[in-house]
Amino acid sequence: MKAIGFKSSLPIEEKDSFIEFETAKPIPGAHDLLVKIDAISVNPVDFKIRQSAAKDTVLENPKIIGWDAVGIVQAVGEKVTLFEVGDPVYYAGDLTKQGSNAEFQIIDERIVGNKPTSLTNAEAAVIPLTGLTAWEILFDRIRINPEKDKGKSILIIGGAGGVGSIAIQLSKKIAGLTVIATASRPETIKWCKQQGADFVVDHKDLVASVREAGFQHVDFILEFVDTNAYWDIMAELIKPQGHIASITGSAEPVVLNKLKSKSVSFSWELMYTRSMFQTEDMIEQHHILNKIADLLDEGVLKTTLKETYKGLSVENLKKAHQLLESGKTIGKIAIKY
């Protein structure tokens, strides 16, 4: 099969930052599906791993990355029960396994969903990673209860990005929250409002901007940009007994003591935790993807696709990575094979 990968962690502008090569089609294990991929999406995790996985070294075999795909099941492992050959599926993958920047991929059935029937393959390919991340951070980490918490306020830092775009929709449409999203450019402000944000505030002076919008404090904060940069701001804006959750990691230790007087909870979210550690509830990702597919098919949620490139090629992956590295991306980028 054709695949695209890298042997060294090089700047994206360099010729061999991605290389095309031929490799054996993978063979599914007991719980695996073999999927013929038709469309993929590109996420910030892709360029972060490309930049770090082969630093100061040359790998013997190219590393294939990519964690969003739509395709058709070609073969199933002997213990597979959730899918059959011919099923259209979508999924975000597993950090410990080969990625989706290839013609075929094996994937554990427990982290795969049925593709939304109303969406094109490109429209569906941009949903799994961000959809799972947003769902888990809202309903598994913060444990928002749509009945009990309806009408409460949520601040989403990084509203126009991939995760922010779907988190706005889930917060508004499913959780019933009052959504405040950050954005500063006219096009990102417009995008956040299109996703359903009630208020859009300027991240450059966030405390003043949130308060100008009429909120002294907020019940929940989702941080999708830079935990350290926003830590003191979040500690200031969060309500007593509120909850902050982040996906971005931390270059420096976070000072949890700043949350103590308000009895504020803090959570990390990593969408790969369930697959990486083979948790007992790993199949939850199958159920979440199916719930999201139903909501997309019912028109409650909408795709966050902003741009589509045609063809699995080094050129298209480089173009997508360059755009993501710029930090100016709105919504999501798909590559249709």
Side-chain angles (χ1 to χ4, degrees):
M1 69 172 184
K2 172 179 157 182
I4 294 174
F6 59 89
K7 286 189 167 185
S8 288
S9 293
L10 301 171
I12 195 63
E13 298 80 13
E14 293 206 17
K15 180 176 177 290
D16 290 335
S17 57
F18 276 118
I19 55 173
E20 183 180 315
F21 63 102
E22 291 288 321
T23 188
K25 190 190 297 184
I27 298 167
H31 288 285
D32 291 335
L33 313 174
L34 174 68
V35 177
K36 186 178 193 303
I37 298 173
D38 183 72
I40 59 172
S41 178
V42 184
N43 296 281
V45 66
D46 297 45
F47 77 74
K48 290 172 184 174
I49 289 178
R50 195 203 81 247
Q51 291 171 343
S52 62
K55 213 166 187 176
D56 304 319
T57 189
V58 178
L59 303 174
E60 187 175 339
N61 298 306
K63 182 174 179 65
I64 304 169
I65 59 172
W67 290 279
D68 259 337
V70 168
I72 301 292
V73 177
Q74 296 286 298
V76 298
E78 59 187 23
K79 293 186 178 177
V80 166
T81 60
L82 302 174
F83 299 95
E84 296 177 352
V85 171
D87 285 346
V89 294
Y90 78 146
Y91 54 88
D94 177 344
L95 270 185
T96 68
K97 305 279 179 67
Q98 171 187 290
S100 57
N101 296 348
E103 291 181 314
F104 293 88
Q105 184 180 13
I106 51 169
I107 188 81
D108 190 303
E109 65 168 345
R110 292 169 290 179
I111 55 173
V112 176
N114 296 290
K115 176 198 164 271
T117 58
S118 61
L119 269 55
T120 67
N121 286 351
E123 288 171 337
V126 302
I127 296 294
L129 186 148
T130 56
L132 284 167
T133 300
W135 188 285
E136 289 183 353
I137 203 168
L138 289 166
F139 304 117
D140 292 345
R141 307 297 164 244
I142 298 181
R143 299 184 183 179
I144 287 169
N145 180 324
E147 291 182 19
K148 180 172 67 74
D149 296 320
K150 187 176 181 182
K152 287 185 178 180
S153 55
I154 187 164
L155 171 63
I156 299 175
I157 300 174
V163 182
S165 299
I166 195 71
I168 290 172
Q169 294 185 50
L170 288 172
S171 298
K172 187 69 190 168
K173 298 288 188 68
I174 309 306
L177 303 175
T178 299
V179 180
I180 310 154
T182 71
S184 59
R185 293 178 284 146
E187 59 269 34
T188 53
I189 292 168
K190 180 182 176 184
W191 178 264
C192 288
K193 288 179 177 175
Q194 287 172 342
Q195 306 314 303
D198 297 290
F199 302 88
V200 181
V201 295
D202 191 343
H203 60 86
K204 292 171 187 169
D205 190 0
L206 192 48
V207 173
S209 194
V210 168
R211 289 184 173 156
E212 281 167 18
F215 299 86
Q216 185 67 18
H217 298 100
V218 294
D219 294 286
F220 310 114
I221 300 177
L222 305 184
E223 194 288 303
F224 299 146
V225 179
D226 183 333
T227 307
N228 293 122
Y230 286 98
W231 188 255
D232 289 350
I233 291 167
M234 293 191 292
E236 168 66 25
L237 285 173
I238 194 70
K239 266 188 188 176
Q241 302 183 99
H243 198 134
I244 300 169
S246 172
I247 67 170
T248 56
S250 165
E252 303 289 331
V254 292
V255 185
L256 284 172
N257 272 347
K258 294 200 172 185
L259 309 182
K260 186 177 186 295
S261 64
K262 290 184 179 178
S263 297
V264 168
S265 302
F266 176 73
S267 298
W268 293 118
E269 157 61 15
L270 180 65
M271 189 278 299
Y272 303 110
T273 296
R274 282 172 159 139
S275 55
M276 188 184 292
F277 293 98
Q278 298 277 299
T279 61
E280 291 177 2
D281 68 346
M282 188 168 147
I283 199 169
E284 273 305 302
Q285 293 201 333
H286 165 72
H287 298 314
I288 294 167
L289 285 169
N290 282 345
K291 285 176 195 168
I292 292 173
D294 289 343
L295 290 166
L296 287 159
D297 287 337
E298 291 161 11
V300 177
L301 302 178
K302 58 187 178 181
T303 183
T304 54
L305 176 65
K306 184 71 172 167
E307 200 162 356
T308 304
Y309 303 151
K310 298 291 175 68
L312 174 63
S313 68
V314 165
E315 180 188 5
N316 280 337
L317 278 167
K318 283 188 173 186
K319 196 161 57 169
H321 277 237
Q322 275 182 314
L323 187 55
L324 283 170
E325 287 179 37
S326 76
K328 302 292 185 186
T329 315
I330 300 173
K332 292 292 300 291
I333 303 163
I335 297 175
K336 173 76 171 68
Y337 288 10

